[in-house]
Each structure stands twice: as structure tokens, then as C-alpha cells.
Amino acid sequence: MDVEIQTQLPEMAGGMDVSPAELDTRELLPVLLPASFFAIGKWCGPFTRLRAAEIGLTWAVLIPGGSLRYVNRAIQAHWEEQGLDWKALAMGNLARHTEHQPGPRMLRRVNGEVFAVAFLYEDGLGPSRLLFRGTLSRFFPKGCRIAIPERSCGFAFGTDLTAEERSQVEGVINHCYQHGTRPFAPGSYAVDDLQPE
């Protein structure tokens, strides 16, 4: 079993003794994880498979101190019994968290135009910001591709890169994947690949 998965499963199991009523739903956030986490059949919470076979979507509550409490089936059932649209709430929370944190690092052309953005946030959920399609469209009106080389960092870059820009962006993405503390996936994807399959 993947070492990363082995560390995540106990964290989820540990969350089962916390009452769902004790969790602060204002800290509920969407989390992109390697699809391998869900493939072994032991993930005890909700998740969505995405068009990109290597990427899955789940949800977690940010706990003070920076740890995550992944949503399990008991928490999901509690919220649904209350009529809470928790998936929509998670996206709203992510927008609020994003507004209050520095995070995007931009690569610009000489004329100031953005050609790539690295999403690195203090909460460690930079890749989740790739779910903001509107933001990506504003940065890249001519279209973009995305990459998640490391679990704390997401990249978006224009489809109109020069050869030099492409080499620079691919070099950064490859470096993050090969040398990051929690590698996620090599290569890049279309924005639509983060939609449910």
C-alpha cells in the first residue's frame, strides 16, 4: 500500500470519534487527492472521481493548527440530515479562504501579461483553487492547462505559451513533481479534466 495512503487512513479513522456537531462547517473545504487514495476501497468518506483518472475530489474540515479532518460517512449523514448543501458550502468556504490569504505566484511577460500561475496557499490546498474556473478564465482568456505536481501546489498556464515560456513552466512543474515532499501527478491536464467523470 502507498505510504501516503497509509498515513491518511488513520487520520480519517481518528476523525470518527469526533462528533459531527463539533466540526466547524465554515472550515469545510474541497480537497484534490491522488485517485489512488480511493482505488483501494478503504476510503471511508465521500469522494468524486474526475475525468482525469489520476485525480479525485473529496472534502475535509480544516482544524486549527493546519491539519485536515477528512469528511467520513457519519459526518456526511449528519449534514445531510440537517439539509446542509455541504458541497456548495465547501466551495463558498474555499472562496472566502482564498480572499484572505496570499497565494498565487504569477509568471509574467515583459508586457505584464500573466502566462502562468502557481497556487501556493498557507492552508496547503493550492490545487483546490484550480476548481475556480472563472478565476482561471480571467487569468487566461485564451485558455489554459493545469498541473498538480505536488499536493500543496497547483499550476495553471496559458495555451498560447512561447517555446521558452513552455520550457520554463514545464521545468518548474517537473521539478515540483520530482522533488516535492508529496508528489501528486506528472504532466498537465485540460481544465475540464477536473469535472466529474
Side-chain angles (χ1 to χ4, degrees), residues 52 54 145-148 155 157 166 170 173 185-190 193:
E54 300 86 0
R145 291 189 61 80
I146 59 167
I148 311 175
F155 281 89
F157 55 93
R166 180 169 297 283
E170 288 176 352
I173 290 170
S188 66
Y189 302 89
D193 287 341

Side-chain angles (χ1 to χ4, degrees), residues 9-20:
L9 291 176
E11 187 174 335
M12 280 193 75
M16 296 181 84
D17 62 354
V18 174
S19 164

Side-chain angles (χ1 to χ4, degrees), residues 22-157:
E22 294 176 62
L23 295 173
D24 184 353
T25 57
R26 295 171 301 176
E27 300 301 319
L28 171 66
L29 301 166
V31 182
L32 295 171
L33 289 176
S36 60
F37 281 40
F38 314 115
I40 61 170
K42 293 187 179 181
W43 191 261
C44 54
F47 67 91
T48 300
R49 294 189 189 282
L50 303 179
R51 291 180 191 171
E54 300 86 0
I55 305 171
L57 173 65
T58 192
W59 296 266
V61 177
L62 189 61
I63 303 297
S67 65
L68 294 175
R69 179 68 40 82
Y70 288 96
V71 174
N72 60 34
R73 296 291 181 195
I75 295 167
Q76 176 187 7
H78 173 76
W79 288 338
E80 290 176 356
E81 286 167 10
Q82 293 183 322
L84 184 66
D85 185 353
W86 55 273
K87 290 181 182 179
L89 177 63
M91 285 301 292
N93 290 342
L94 183 65
R96 181 174 45 80
H97 275 261
T98 300
E99 290 172 8
H100 301 300
Q101 289 188 49
R105 278 109 170 139
M106 298 176 203
L107 295 174
R108 296 180 183 271
R109 296 182 171 120
V110 175
N111 66 4
E113 184 180 2
V114 173
F115 69 87
V117 179
F119 295 96
L120 292 159
Y121 284 81
E122 198 173 285
D123 59 20
L125 300 177
S128 296
R129 276 61 182 199
L130 296 173
L131 298 170
F132 292 135
R133 294 173 64 108
T135 300
L136 296 179
S137 294
R138 283 191 296 280
F139 278 131
F140 307 105
K142 297 175 185 172
C144 72
R145 291 189 61 80
I146 59 167
I148 311 175
E150 213 271 342
R151 287 212 11 230
S152 65
C153 183
F155 281 89
F157 55 93

